[in-house]
Amino acid sequence: MQTVPAANPWLAAVAPSPIGETKRWVLGRTFPADRPLIDLSQAVPGYPPALELRKHLGELLLDPAMHGYTPILGLPALRETYADHLSSFYSARIGADEVGITSGCNQAFCLALMSIAQAGDQVILPRPHYFNHDMWMRMQGVEPVSLDFRPGSGAVPNAEDAEKLIGPRTRAIVLISPNNPTGAVYPRETIHAFYELAKKHGIALLLDETYKDFLPEGERPHALFDEPDWQGTLVHLYSFSKVFALTGYRVGGVTAGARLMAEIEKAMDCVSICPPRLGQEAALYGLRNLLPWARKNTEGLKARADLLGQGLQKSNRWRLVSIGAYFAYVEHPFANQPSTEVSKRLADEENLLTIPGDMFGAGQERFVRLAFANVTDDKIPTVLERLERFGA
């Protein structure tokens, strides 16, 4: 006899979050002082928010006005400041009415997808994929259509390959650059080729640029906002979590044309009414005051990425596929072992927590993702040492 309501079959068919799964591998364990756990599983900054930001928020908490709802798509001051930031970054003109604030970039993606696709539709998703994108599509009854990168491409997908996957049920293409999980930075011509492909077929391009702030200073990753009719094709997604170390505040952004933004607003009202007020205040303060602080952190992460990348390139066992500010995607040396088994053994034998490639899609059994942003520079040699020793 059934004692609880039956679960939504689309939701029930989706595997649990890889982050939660990998964290359980070490749950309850203790680690010796000379071999502590090094957690390379989750993309989190290795430093707290700026002290001045924390003091600012502490003072704001005393204001009774800080504890109520905001407009559905966010504080007008934040929308205006964020639109100005995007306009400056992309050397384009983006209006405050074309941006909305969300509870993190994951919510921005979920709301955008819900506004574009319905059950039975298809969305092209480069593989390896960000697992939450794949999970949300399947929960909605939307079919992810996998787009694999070509060998030797540095994990960069090809628009010509994507065009072969477009059919009558295709509603969108998803890109993340700099990429999660591979760290790959897509060349400008690649991003533009996907935009032109989406425009040609009358589908949306969902471009997630959560990690745009970790590109070299002054680098404009694309000129899509220069297109006079970008609103008919492009949906831009962003997170304040990484740049200002606000992961727990849950604040992100979505940029789109007015028609789509109206649909996003409906969905936003139902799922969370408005983004968290304190997160919005933190993002606003960050945009106004902390971009130099953020740039200094970016330079530090670049140095760490170089240190890890150089070490991996010297390895005769682990092959570096791609690397960026937060992630390295590597091929492990165990041809007959699936990546989940390799990652579990890394956790058990080397106290090194990673996410296996097969959690980022089928056909990724030979790969492991290393999220190195949350470890300090002095731990990188230890990471490399443990990888080289493992299974040798």
Side-chain angles (χ1 to χ4, degrees):
M1 181 177 179
Q2 186 173 319
T3 58
V4 296
N8 179 336
W10 288 337
L11 186 61
V14 174
S17 165
I19 295 296
E21 177 67 16
T22 53
K23 297 288 188 184
R24 281 189 285 272
W25 294 347
V26 295
L27 189 64
R29 285 183 55 188
T30 58
F31 302 91
D34 60 341
R35 289 186 76 184
L37 176 70
I38 299 179
D39 189 347
L40 301 174
S41 64
Q42 192 167 17
V44 294
Y47 44 83
L51 181 59
E52 62 183 278
L53 169 61
R54 287 177 275 160
K55 289 181 176 180
H56 172 70
L57 295 179
E59 293 173 359
L60 287 182
L61 285 172
L62 299 175
D63 182 352
M66 290 295 112
H67 306 280
Y69 293 129
T70 73
I72 296 171
L73 290 178
L75 292 166
L78 177 55
R79 294 179 72 186
E80 292 168 7
T81 304
Y82 178 48
D84 288 344
H85 168 73
L86 291 177
S87 298
S88 175
F89 187 87
Y90 295 105
S91 301
R93 182 64 201 131
I94 299 165
D97 60 335
E98 294 171 324
V99 304
I101 307 303
T102 59
S103 301
C105 190
N106 264 17
Q107 189 187 69
F109 174 81
C110 293
L111 299 182
L113 182 83
M114 187 184 298
S115 302
I116 291 168
Q118 61 182 335
D121 287 342
Q122 295 179 331
V123 171
I124 295 174
L125 189 64
R127 185 168 54 189
H129 52 243
Y130 175 45
F131 44 76
N132 284 151
H133 287 176
D134 178 82
M135 291 170 69
W136 183 252
M137 288 185 197
R138 296 180 188 278
M139 290 175 187
Q140 301 301 304
V142 175
E143 180 186 353
V145 177
S146 296
L147 170 63
D148 292 311
F149 62 82
R150 298 178 180 182
S153 67
V156 175
N158 186 285
E160 293 179 2
D161 296 340
E163 185 160 28
K164 298 173 185 176
L165 302 176
I166 294 176
R169 293 190 290 140
T170 307
R171 294 294 175 266
I173 301 170
V174 178
L175 293 185
I176 308 176
S177 180
N179 188 257
N180 180 4
T182 68
V185 178
Y186 296 170
R188 174 184 288 215
E189 55 269 24
T190 296
I191 295 174
H192 279 260
F194 274 96
Y195 174 85
E196 293 300 331
L197 176 64
K199 182 178 179 180
K200 171 184 174 182
H201 288 273
I203 60 179
L205 174 63
L206 274 63
L207 178 59
D208 181 336
E209 291 192 295
T210 290
Y211 300 94
K212 74 173 182 60
D213 303 288
F214 301 94
L215 295 168
E217 189 169 12
E219 182 171 308
R220 187 186 183 204
H222 57 78
L224 297 186
F225 288 113
D226 287 343
E227 298 290 333
D229 54 352
W230 66 262
Q231 297 91 339
T233 301
L234 178 63
V235 181
H236 183 270
L237 311 174
Y238 180 66
S239 171
F240 296 95
S241 295
K242 307 302 190 293
V243 64
F244 299 130
L246 301 173
T247 52
Y249 289 70
R250 309 314 306 136
V251 56
V254 57
T255 304
R259 288 181 61 187
L260 190 63
M261 194 63 73
E263 305 307 320
I264 290 172
E265 184 174 16
K266 294 178 194 175
M268 181 69 177
D269 184 43
C270 291
V271 298
S272 63
I273 299 180
C274 66
R277 175 64 182 259
L278 203 61
Q280 294 186 67
E281 295 288 351
L284 180 59
Y285 185 89
L287 288 173
R288 288 175 171 174
N289 301 282
L290 296 178
L291 290 176
W293 175 87
R295 176 48 52 183
K296 184 177 179 180
N297 292 326
T298 294
E299 292 168 357
L301 283 174
K302 175 62 167 59
R304 189 175 307 159
D306 290 344
L307 184 63
L308 179 62
Q310 290 163 9
L312 288 168
Q313 287 170 344
K314 294 176 183 177
S315 174
N316 293 320
R317 303 178 65 236
W318 297 79
R319 184 178 70 86
L320 180 64
V321 177
S322 53
I323 190 167
Y326 262 72
F327 310 106
Y329 205 61
V330 297
E331 183 178 4
H332 67 72
F334 309 102
N336 297 318
Q337 294 182 30
S339 57
T340 295
E341 181 179 333
V342 172
S343 284
K344 283 183 176 179
R345 287 181 51 221
L346 274 171
D348 291 340
E349 300 173 22
E350 294 294 342
N351 298 345
L352 201 62
L353 194 59
T354 63
I355 294 190
D358 50 19
M359 289 185 174
F360 300 106
Q364 303 300 304
E365 292 82 4
R366 286 302 307 275
F367 305 103
V368 172
R369 188 189 80 171
L370 311 177
F372 57 84
N374 63 325
V375 300
T376 53
D377 291 353
D378 62 338
K379 290 183 180 178
I380 296 300
T382 304
V383 169
L384 293 167
E385 177 186 335
R386 294 186 187 185
L387 287 173
E388 285 303 307
R389 182 175 59 222
F390 174 63

